[in-house]
Amino acid sequence: MRNLIGKSVAIGAIAALALTATACGSGRDGDSGGSKGDTKGFAADSLIGVALPSKTSENWVLAGDLFTNGLKEAGFKSDVQYAGASTTVADQQAQITAMVTKGAKVIVIGATDAAQLSTQVAAAHAAGAKVIAYDRLITNTPDLDYYVAFDNFKVGQLQGQALLDGMKAKKPNGPYNIELFSGSPDDNNAGVFFNGAMSVLKPEIDKGNVVVASKQTDVKQTAIQGWKAEGAQARMDQLLTSTYGNKELDGVLSPNDTLARAIITSIKGAGKPVPVVSGQDSEVESVKSIMAGEQYMTINKDTRNLVKQTIAMVKALQAGNTPEVNDTKSYNNGSKVVDTYLLPPVAVTKANAAEAYANDPKLAPLTK
Amino acid sequence: MSRLKDLQKNLFGGTTSNARQFGMIFTLVAIIVLFQILTDGLTLRSDNLIALFNQNSYILILAIGMLMVIVAGHIDLSVGSIAAFTGILVAKSMAEWSLPWPVAILFGLAIGAIIGAWQGFWVAYIGVPAFIVTLAGMLLFRGGNQFIGNANTIPVPEGFRVIGSGFLPEAGPDTGYNNLTLLLGLAACVAVVWREFQARKTRREMDADPAPMWVSVLRMAVMVGAIVFASLRFASGRVGTSFPVSGIILVALILIYSFYTRNTAGGRHIYAVGGNSRAAELSGVKLKRVNFFVMMNMAVLAALAGMIFVARSAASGPQDGNGWELDAIAAVFIGGAAVAGGIGTISGSIVGGLVMAVLNNGLQLLGVGTDRVQIIKGLVLLLAVAIDVYNKSQGRFSVIGSITRSFRRDTPTPPTSSSDAEREPARTAVSG
């Protein structure tokens, strides 16, 4: 008797499972196959997801604010997320997945690790969302739609050129001793900056006009994991001890401002005169440093323009148009050549700072 | 009145530690319901449930191993680094030696076993505290990852990605659902029912008092209902998706390790060592062998977790494994394990891990930033353990226990059910 009740419950449950499974044949909730070839745009108040790396530089924080406000002005709903400080990649993966779940139509991604997002980008694509890689090219995925960035090779070239100009201005004749730093090896851009800079420096090094005194010229030796300031400071400390006991250091190629300041801190800590140091990103502290005559140069990649351009692309997609691109050849992510819009960077030294930052409410007052 | 007593005795196993476990499950359900309402139904949508498992299976796999380590009275801080180290080696082995991916997985597990043997040797045979050995391991294998990978990100081939982001194939007639997922659900239902009857039969044979029929039916109905609901959810995602492969690996591991820790002498020895290592040793437990085993087992599971993450990310990167040890440890403690060792269950840890996972996922769906998510998770961890500790210091084991205490007779309920003994590890007598 007891057994009977239990068995009938079990059988009932199994029957219910089978029934519900077959009865409502339209169980699948996703539109099968996604909306491929759908170029008719989407609702003007759709959700736009923005996934950015952890808040390690002012730039990302600023970009996040600009996206939040810009997308709101354009009439979209926005979801702007930063990866956490320690578990960056996993966080970003989860955030992108959450955006897909929420039905975002376009997902803008500033990747923490450019090669570890292909599963999520594929999921977004399958759900019919467009994916725009912001500032960092996402690699190893055929599902990336667009890439928008500053011309990073040009950034490197400007850094290299400014380094040469700056050293010449301080000391008319070489040979000049320099050291090289490059960014995080998991950031696709780091290598591009470095190659750009080396395209200018290499001829001078070959001529013997410029000397890398530590002989550390390989990108593996110069890389700073995670763009971490303490990494750059530690490496500079070691270079000073190992190489510059009785030599003069004339210049340091630094890929960005955060590292540039860390390098300068290290050099000042060792009681040496500050050499010509390059930078990038126009961070507040670095602009102050340039005006004070310490850091030599930075690159102005106005985040405002980049965000503006990205939002313009989102708007074009919303209207069902193809976003404007200006490079359809150079950016191969390993699976396909990605349509790209490149913005031009500007080199800034003390001489042209006032002019370069005239439109920047935060930086303009610093240059007066 | 007597029904309540019946329910308490039989559904929660009658013991307070089971009541606590029930409390955790209740918390989990409450959080799910809360987010289901707050996110307008996104939380329980099939694609989100699938994503939830895909995102967290590697952490939950770590939690299984970590539970055993913590029950044995140790800790393992090196799991994230071991995962990253294995990940890069496996990725390289496929990229540079063109190892076929199934071989590469075995290779990865072997690396885990070797690393585990190394750490187990220091902990068990030299007697260096596990905290120190694994702190060293954390540095050692993180460095190893960077040394081998040159801090590069190395992609892995399509076939390998199945273990992290793969799904069951679509098979059979078009039912509007993923048929294999439904079959899995069906198998689980049958297993639940079979197990219940098996348990009743055993108790009758042992002349023990079996639980009233209505309790058994209720228990089965709840579980079968949950399974039916879950399998329909998982089966009704986008075409091409199903219950994820990583989730299947996880469930298989949960079943195997639950059985091992509850029903085998080897598993009970871990609890004995954690409860009182001296007493355990005097009772004939091979202390060193148990310690060696838990450390080695943890490393193998860490290697597996690392490979699943790499497969899901489609590449092995230098940031892999950062902070994983903390997630796994948090899951174990939220799931009711004791800091001093000797107490804790696999299922509790999984529920603890799921509480964190659902919290994380729900907050992300609401668009809460990672900064605030971390604050909330930190508070949840602290509160969960604090409530437990406070209740113990008050002489009552759980909130539920204290609420229902007034209903209870003073006559102590003898631990009749076999699951009592299983779930009260500290009191268990150790057999040979």
Side-chain angles (χ1 to χ4, degrees):
Chain A
M1 173 61 202
R2 284 177 165 183
N3 260 335
L4 213 69
I5 302 172
K7 268 178 192 153
S8 54
V9 166
I11 291 162
I14 290 163
L17 174 72
L19 262 180
T20 20
T22 44
C24 33
S26 57
R28 303 274 189 181
D29 52 19
D31 43 339
S32 47
S35 39
K36 278 169 204 151
D38 176 12
T39 48
K40 291 195 187 68
F42 46 84
D45 62 345
S46 299
L47 179 72
I48 308 298
V50 181
L52 301 175
S54 54
K55 298 178 175 174
T56 44
S57 94
E58 291 173 18
N59 232 341
W60 292 113
V61 181
L62 176 63
D65 294 345
L66 290 170
F67 269 118
T68 308
N69 297 331
L71 287 169
K72 199 162 139 201
E73 268 168 36
F76 296 108
K77 286 197 272 293
S78 71
D79 180 16
V80 179
Q81 293 289 336
Y82 297 95
S86 60
T87 53
T88 49
V89 177
D91 274 349
Q92 195 164 49
Q93 291 174 342
Q95 285 165 347
I96 294 168
T97 313
M99 288 168 189
V100 174
T101 305
K102 287 199 277 186
K105 292 293 176 196
V106 180
I107 300 180
V108 178
I109 303 172
T112 48
D113 187 321
Q116 289 188 301
L117 294 175
S118 32
T119 309
Q120 288 70 33
V121 173
H125 190 80
K130 297 278 179 199
V131 181
I132 301 176
Y134 173 88
D135 191 51
R136 297 176 179 175
L137 182 62
I138 300 171
T139 57
N140 294 320
T141 171
D143 298 316
L144 178 64
D145 295 293
Y146 298 99
Y147 175 44
V148 56
F150 279 95
D151 188 341
N152 288 324
F153 193 77
K154 188 81 199 284
V155 168
Q157 287 178 317
L158 290 174
Q159 287 174 332
Q161 193 55 49
L163 194 60
L164 293 179
D165 295 348
M167 290 191 297
K168 201 160 274 173
K170 267 195 182 173
K171 191 169 84 173
N173 292 310
Y176 304 105
N177 290 324
I178 66 164
E179 287 303 331
L180 310 173
F181 282 72
S182 59
S184 191
D186 53 13
D187 181 348
N188 206 43
N189 286 346
V192 180
F193 297 140
F194 192 70
N195 292 339
M198 288 309 276
S199 73
V200 176
L201 295 174
K202 193 84 190 352
E204 297 294 317
I205 292 173
D206 290 344
K207 269 190 266 173
N209 201 14
V210 168
V211 181
V212 181
S214 68
K215 299 195 175 58
Q216 297 183 10
T217 54
D218 190 85
V219 73
K220 278 173 194 162
Q221 296 169 307
T222 60
I224 303 298
Q225 181 69 38
W227 296 96
K228 291 234 169 77
E230 65 260 35
Q233 190 169 351
R235 178 163 181 258
M236 194 68 234
D237 286 345
Q238 272 132 31
L239 287 172
L240 288 172
T241 320
S242 65
T243 312
Y244 295 95
N246 48 11
K247 259 191 216 151
E248 201 183 326
L249 176 62
D250 297 302
V252 178
L253 175 74
S254 160
N256 79 356
D257 283 349
T258 309
L259 301 193
R261 294 197 304 274
I263 290 164
I264 291 171
T265 305
S266 163
I267 294 169
K268 277 160 77 178
K272 304 252 179 200
V274 177
V276 176
V277 181
S278 65
Q280 171 179 209
D281 293 341
S282 300
E283 291 182 5
V284 171
E285 286 309 311
S286 279
V287 172
K288 283 186 194 161
S289 174
I290 288 172
M291 298 318 287
E294 286 185 343
Q295 186 176 328
Y296 179 71
M297 68 86 72
T298 185
I299 298 279
N300 188 17
K301 299 198 298 188
D302 197 336
T303 305
R304 262 160 287 268
N305 292 341
L306 192 57
V307 171
K308 212 181 282 167
Q309 185 59 38
T310 313
I311 293 178
M313 290 171 108
V314 173
K315 279 185 187 157
L317 287 168
Q318 186 271 320
N321 301 327
T322 309
E324 185 191 355
V325 292
N326 58 13
D327 187 335
T328 53
K329 286 195 281 287
S330 339
Y331 286 87
N332 186 331
N333 76 347
S335 297
K336 73 181 248 191
V337 178
V338 184
D339 288 349
T340 304
Y341 192 94
L342 288 177
L343 282 82
V346 178
V348 182
T349 59
K350 196 173 179 179
N352 68 345
E355 183 195 343
Y357 299 130
N359 294 325
D360 190 317
K362 200 163 67 178
L363 296 178
L366 300 174
T367 58
K368 291 192 174 114
Chain B
M1 189 69 166
S2 72
R3 295 236 144 170
L4 187 69
K5 211 177 83 183
D6 273 346
L7 191 69
Q8 204 197 347
K9 190 171 116 191
N10 293 294
L11 206 54
F12 310 153
T15 63
T16 42
S17 95
N18 271 4
R20 175 171 154 71
Q21 237 180 30
F22 177 79
M24 267 334 286
I25 293 174
F26 181 77
T27 310
L28 177 62
V29 172
I31 290 177
I32 291 174
V33 170
L34 175 73
F35 280 118
Q36 176 73 358
I37 295 165
L38 289 179
T39 60
D40 267 340
L42 287 181
T43 303
L44 285 178
R45 225 174 64 185
S46 33
D47 54 348
N48 191 56
L49 282 180
I50 291 169
L52 194 67
F53 268 79
N54 257 338
Q55 274 159 27
N56 293 290
S57 52
Y58 65 93
I59 292 291
L60 295 175
I61 288 174
L62 288 178
I64 294 173
M66 193 63 83
L67 180 267
M68 293 162 73
V69 169
I70 286 173
V71 163
H74 304 297
I75 195 94
D76 193 330
L77 302 176
S78 65
V79 291
S81 294
I82 294 175
F85 183 71
T86 312
I88 194 78
L89 277 177
V90 169
K92 277 238 165 184
S93 74
M94 285 185 288
E96 286 177 14
W97 313 335
S98 27
L99 225 54
W101 67 266
V103 182
I105 292 175
L106 293 179
F107 174 64
L109 293 175
I111 295 165
I114 294 167
I115 293 173
W118 158 263
Q119 299 206 129
F121 165 76
W122 291 103
V123 172
Y125 294 99
I126 307 294
V128 182
F131 187 92
I132 307 295
V133 172
T134 57
L135 185 60
M138 185 179 178
L139 298 169
L140 203 67
F141 300 114
R142 174 62 56 191
N145 166 283
Q146 317 247 310
F147 179 74
I148 290 163
N150 279 320
N152 284 322
T153 303
I154 295 170
V156 292
E158 206 65 54
F160 184 78
R161 295 181 197 176
V162 168
I163 61 165
S165 57
F167 294 105
L168 294 169
E170 302 285 347
D174 182 10
T175 55
Y177 289 93
N178 180 283
N179 295 329
L180 293 177
T181 306
L182 291 183
L183 278 180
L184 276 181
L186 199 62
C189 287
V190 172
V192 164
V193 174
W194 181 78
R195 188 165 160 257
E196 187 66 34
F197 282 106
Q198 210 57 32
R200 293 181 67 83
K201 202 175 122 206
T202 317
R203 297 185 65 159
R204 224 173 296 124
E205 277 166 7
M206 291 168 72
D207 278 336
D209 184 23
M213 192 64 211
W214 71 271
V215 170
S216 280
V217 170
L218 182 64
R219 180 155 47 190
M220 280 189 291
V222 168
M223 291 190 71
V224 168
I227 293 169
V228 168
F229 176 76
S231 41
L232 285 180
R233 283 280 140 175
F234 280 112
S236 65
R238 194 162 43 79
V239 173
T241 61
S242 71
F243 191 63
V245 171
S246 57
I248 295 172
I249 298 175
L250 171 68
V251 170
L253 289 173
I254 293 173
L255 292 177
I256 294 168
Y257 279 97
S258 290
F259 179 80
Y260 178 75
T261 53
R262 286 163 55 167
N263 301 10
T264 67
R268 302 315 302 167
H269 285 178
I270 300 173
Y271 287 92
V273 167
N276 185 336
S277 63
R278 187 88 188 103
E281 196 173 20
L282 290 173
S283 330
V285 172
K286 296 198 172 58
L287 196 58
K288 288 177 179 168
R289 204 180 283 177
V290 169
N291 284 337
F292 183 82
F293 166 75
V294 293
M295 296 312 290
M296 176 152 163
N297 179 61
M298 178 77 257
V300 174
L301 288 179
L304 178 63
M307 288 190 284
I308 287 178
F309 182 81
V310 167
R312 180 175 137 68
S313 304
S316 165
Q319 313 266 8
D320 291 4
N322 269 348
W324 290 7
E325 56 282 336
L326 303 178
D327 281 340
I329 292 169
V332 169
F333 284 131
I334 291 179
V339 181
I343 297 176
T345 57
I346 302 272
S347 50
S349 305
I350 296 298
V351 172
L354 283 175
V355 166
M356 282 300 217
V358 172
L359 203 60
N360 215 355
N361 173 264
L363 290 170
Q364 259 161 4
L365 286 177
L366 290 176
V368 177
T370 39
D371 35 12
R372 278 179 290 164
V373 172
Q374 283 183 35
I375 294 172
I376 293 169
K377 279 163 76 179
L379 289 174
V380 167
L381 171 63
L382 186 62
L383 281 178
V385 178
I387 289 172
D388 194 34
V389 169
Y390 176 78
N391 283 334
K392 273 180 194 156
S393 73
Q394 297 293 304
R396 44 172 196 250
F397 284 78
S398 76
V399 179
I400 289 168
S402 71
I403 293 167
T404 54
R405 189 167 42 175
S406 53
F407 298 118
R408 244 182 266 157
R409 293 271 167 78
D410 277 333
T411 45
T413 43
T416 42
S417 89
S418 60
S419 63
D420 282 354
E422 284 160 22
R423 288 171 197 175
E424 278 293 81
R427 293 184 210 158
T428 314
V430 175
S431 58

